[in-house]
């Protein structure tokens, strides 16, 4: 075959990017032209040849060769080659991963006005990768890219205004930038815009002129804001964006006006099939309860979707899956496997899973009994404010199980749980005051805690409060009742309407 440069015109233009010329996989002459022109130093051909190797189009995929040709084009100041080379360094594709070299190449391309490179450089400044973390610099680069109508940069700029990253929080400007990106069909921006309408953000202060806001989208949230939210969610969901599909499914479950309750299952399933862990978990919950148009309860399918979410690290799914194995819902009861999933959730910091692990170790459920391990898990949950764990930790201290016996520590943990309204802890604390263990004996305060525990439904408190009352004078009983009422008043949250009155 003759070399391409000896062929008569017209020749393939090496500056044309893949997608604008014949598919190299079916047109060997085009591939040959790129190879020939690239070897002769044409930066556009070098860039296109790099893309062929990067994508495996017409040639075997080879990230190393892709980087080689990108570097040759980038050194000739071809901006989009510099940006692609920066991405390869950022991802560690074909080269050793280097955020500093990624920033270098993004910077060269960004200075030439390449919008994608400007956004990429902004990302590095936002995260502090390869450059010092400077949110204000991130905003500056996002702005340059956004002004070139790069929808993703407009969305990121909206996020910065929404969260106050590098700029002061400004919901109106956040909404304006989200809207610009949404008009360009950026699905993530459509979701963000919908969420702002749902929360009523950026509405009361008005939207900057010229942003293309729809007629009738006035200040405030409420029904109008919810309708606008659903409008943007539907746009994104219709293009297959899983987060929007999940939000629509949840809106159907919640009975939001304008949503078909029967649509919950359909939308959640669409998102779940795309790997959205939150949707997978919600679909599992839906199938477990048989609501929202699923037709019937299906514990087997609930288990399958919950498992898929749990395997992605969804902490609530891991805890829920532990419950399913612990109680034999949709699967044979398996305490050891339940323990495995509870542990995964617990290690992510879920206090309910930590508490449950404590119970399992304390009683030897699915694992050898280990009171020291029970104390450790109770403590982790208790320190996060879990009232049941605080009470159980108090019990361990009171009995000297897995930890040195310490009445004062028992009173401390009982007290924290009791103040949260935990009935059993209130009864236990009342008992400590009654006997003077770990605290100065105070039968009036003991009776007060017994009353609270009995009112909360604790059967032992109901049975024993009369015993404590026999030791008290009428005046002391009245004092305990007054203390009980004061405790309740201090924890009663008045409604705004009542406070205004």
């Amino acid at each position: 075959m003759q070399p391409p440069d000896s062929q008569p015109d017209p020749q393939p233009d090496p500056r044309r990017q893949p997608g604008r010329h014949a598919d190299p996989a079916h047109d060997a002459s085009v591939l040959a032209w790129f190879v020939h022109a690239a070897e002769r130093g044409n930066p556009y051909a070098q860039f296109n040849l790099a893309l062929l190797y990067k994508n495996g189009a017409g040639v075997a995929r080879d990230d190393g060769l892709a980087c080689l040709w990108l570097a040759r084009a980038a050194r000739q100041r071809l901006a989009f080659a510099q940006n692609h080379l920066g991405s390869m360094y950022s991802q560690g594709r074909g080269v050793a991963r280097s955020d500093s070299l990624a920033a270098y190449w993004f910077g060269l391309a960004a200075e030439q006005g390449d919008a994608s490179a400007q956004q990429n450089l902004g990302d590095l400044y936002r995260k502090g990768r390869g450059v010092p973390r400077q949110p204000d610099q991130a905003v500056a680069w996002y702005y340059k890219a956004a002004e070139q109508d790069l929808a993703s940069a407009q969305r990121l700029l909206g996020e910065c205004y929404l969260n106050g990253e590098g700029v002061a929080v400004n919901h109106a400007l956040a909404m304006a930038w989200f809207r610009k990106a949404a008009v360009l069909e950026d699905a993530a921006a459509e979701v963000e815009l919908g969420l702002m309408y749902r929360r009523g953000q950026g509405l009361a202060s008005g939207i900057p002129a010229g942003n293309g806001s729809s007629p009738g989208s006035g200040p405030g949230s409420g029904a109008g804001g919810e309708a606008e939210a659903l409008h943007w969610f539907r746009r994104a969901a219709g293009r297959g964006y899983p987060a929007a599909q999940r939000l629509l499914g949840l809106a159907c479950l919640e009975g939001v006006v304008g949503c078909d309750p029967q649509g919950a299952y359909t939308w959640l399933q669409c998102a779940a099939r795309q790997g959205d862990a939150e949707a997978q978990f919600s679909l599992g919950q839906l199938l477990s309860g048989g609501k929202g148009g699923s037709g019937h309860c299906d514990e087997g399918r609930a288990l399958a979707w919950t498992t898929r979410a749990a395997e992605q690290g969804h902490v609530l799914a891991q805890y829920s899956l532990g419950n399913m194995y612990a109680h034999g819902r949709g699967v044979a009861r398996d305490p050891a496997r339940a323990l495995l999933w509870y542990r995964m959730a617990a290690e992510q910091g879920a206090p309910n899973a930590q508490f449950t692990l404590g119970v399992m170790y304390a009683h030897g459920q699915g694992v050898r009994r280990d009171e020291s391990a029970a104390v450790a898990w109770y403590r982790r949950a208790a320190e996060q404010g879990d009232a049941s764990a605080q009470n159980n930790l108090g019990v361990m201290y009171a009995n000297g199980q897995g930890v040195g016996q310490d009445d004062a520590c028992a009173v401390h943990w009982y007290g924290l749980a009791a103040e949260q309204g935990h009935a059993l802890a209130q009864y236990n604390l009342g008992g400590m005051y009654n006997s003077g263990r770990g605290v100065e004996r105070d039968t009036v305060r003991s009776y007060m805690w017994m009353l609270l525990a009995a009112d909360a439904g604790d059967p032992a408190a109901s049975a024993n409060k009369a015993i404590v009352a026999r030791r008290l004078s009428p005046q002391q009983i009245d004092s305990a009742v007054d203390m009980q009422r004061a405790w309740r008043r201090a924890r009663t949250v008045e409604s705004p309407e009542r406070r205004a009155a």
Side-chain angles (χ1 to χ4, degrees):
M1 187 175 69
Q2 290 179 307
D5 59 357
S6 67
Q7 296 293 322
D9 288 334
Q11 295 289 354
D13 183 352
R15 291 172 295 179
R16 293 191 300 180
Q17 298 183 37
R20 296 184 179 180
H21 51 64
D23 183 352
H26 299 93
D27 192 340
S29 65
V30 173
L31 177 60
W33 171 258
F34 283 141
V35 172
H36 181 73
E39 289 174 343
R40 293 171 65 91
N42 186 302
Y44 297 97
Q46 291 168 344
F47 172 71
N48 277 280
L49 187 57
L51 292 189
L52 299 183
Y53 279 114
K54 182 181 178 183
N55 300 322
V59 292
R61 176 175 166 177
D62 190 323
D63 287 340
L65 281 175
C67 285
L68 184 148
W69 288 112
L70 284 173
R72 292 185 181 183
R75 292 190 189 103
Q76 297 191 64
R77 293 182 52 78
L78 195 63
F80 35 82
Q82 292 169 337
N83 178 57
H84 274 260
L85 185 57
S87 295
M88 299 296 272
Y89 274 109
S90 180
Q91 299 166 26
R93 285 186 59 183
V95 288
R97 185 176 178 275
S98 172
D99 288 333
S100 58
L101 284 174
Y104 171 77
W105 289 111
F106 286 151
L108 292 180
E111 291 290 353
Q112 293 192 66
D114 186 277
S116 294
Q118 290 168 341
Q119 176 185 308
N120 290 335
L121 186 57
D123 287 340
L124 294 184
Y125 275 111
R126 189 180 185 187
K127 300 169 185 173
R129 287 177 49 192
V131 290
R133 186 176 181 277
Q134 294 179 276
D136 58 330
Q137 283 295 312
V139 169
W141 285 113
Y142 288 156
Y143 191 83
K144 289 178 183 291
E147 285 190 315
Q148 296 190 62
D149 281 338
L150 185 63
S152 54
Q154 294 171 336
R155 167 173 44 82
L156 292 168
L157 192 53
E159 290 178 7
C160 289
Y161 277 109
L162 179 65
N163 302 319
E165 297 180 69
V167 287
V169 171
N170 188 320
H171 290 161
L173 282 175
M175 176 168 274
W177 283 111
F178 285 144
R179 186 180 296 279
K180 285 177 181 290
V183 168
L184 294 174
E185 298 188 346
D186 184 284
E190 291 171 331
V191 167
E192 292 288 355
L193 189 58
L195 289 172
M196 289 195 74
Y197 270 108
R198 172 170 283 182
R199 296 188 295 254
Q201 294 173 317
L203 301 175
S205 57
I207 304 172
N211 61 17
S213 69
S214 58
S217 58
S221 52
E226 195 68 69
E228 280 286 329
L230 293 176
H231 163 73
W232 292 108
F233 292 159
R234 288 189 178 110
R235 275 177 54 118
R239 286 198 298 279
Y241 192 61
Q245 294 169 337
R246 165 172 38 86
L247 287 166
L248 275 180
L250 294 176
C252 292
L253 274 181
E254 295 162 6
V256 173
V257 175
C259 284
D260 178 6
Q262 302 300 309
Y265 178 77
T266 300
W267 284 118
L268 287 176
Q269 183 171 243
C270 286
R273 285 175 172 170
Q274 294 191 70
D276 186 292
E278 187 67 40
Q280 291 169 344
F281 170 67
S282 296
L283 185 58
Q285 296 293 103
L286 183 63
L287 287 163
S288 181
K291 301 176 183 177
S294 61
H296 59 280
C297 180
D298 190 332
E299 292 286 3
R301 291 175 65 206
L303 176 76
W305 284 115
T306 305
T307 300
R308 290 176 68 173
E311 288 173 344
Q312 291 196 66
H314 191 285
V315 65
L316 292 178
Q318 291 171 340
Y319 177 72
S320 181
L321 194 56
N323 284 338
M324 296 177 88
Y325 278 106
H327 302 292
R329 290 186 5 239
V331 67
R333 187 175 176 274
D334 189 337
R337 200 161 184 82
L339 185 88
L340 172 70
W341 288 109
Y342 284 140
R343 185 183 297 278
M344 288 185 184
E347 288 175 348
Q348 289 199 67
N352 50 1
Q354 292 168 344
F355 166 73
T356 303
L357 271 183
V359 172
M360 295 183 78
Y361 273 106
H363 299 283
Q365 299 171 349
V367 67
R368 179 179 295 180
R369 184 175 178 181
D370 186 336
E371 292 180 340
S372 296
V375 167
W377 285 113
Y378 284 150
R379 189 182 305 280
R380 289 178 65 172
E383 288 173 348
Q384 293 193 68
D386 186 281
S388 294
Q390 290 169 341
N391 174 71
N392 284 21
L393 187 55
V395 171
M396 303 298 273
Y397 272 109
N399 298 334
Q401 295 173 288
V403 68
Q405 200 279 336
D406 191 326
D407 286 339
C409 282
V411 168
H412 168 75
W413 291 111
Y414 287 151
L416 291 178
E419 290 291 350
Q420 293 192 66
H422 192 281
L424 182 54
Q426 291 171 336
Y427 170 71
N428 287 334
L429 186 58
M432 299 298 273
Y433 273 108
N434 186 52
S435 59
R437 287 181 56 191
V439 68
E440 186 176 348
R441 190 168 186 268
D442 187 336
T443 51
V444 173
R445 192 166 295 276
S446 170
Y447 189 59
M448 183 268 288
W449 286 116
M450 292 285 185
L451 288 175
L452 287 168
D455 288 350
D458 185 84
S462 299
N464 286 288
K465 67 178 182 178
I467 298 174
V468 178
R470 293 194 199 107
R471 303 174 188 164
L472 301 176
S473 67
Q475 292 80 8
Q476 288 176 315
I477 290 176
D478 289 342
S479 178
V481 171
D482 288 342
M483 290 167 61
Q484 175 204 26
R485 290 171 178 168
W487 188 92
R488 290 194 182 284
R489 282 196 301 271
R491 286 151 186 79
T492 300
V493 179
E494 289 186 313
S495 66
E497 295 80 5
R498 184 172 179 179
R499 284 199 299 269

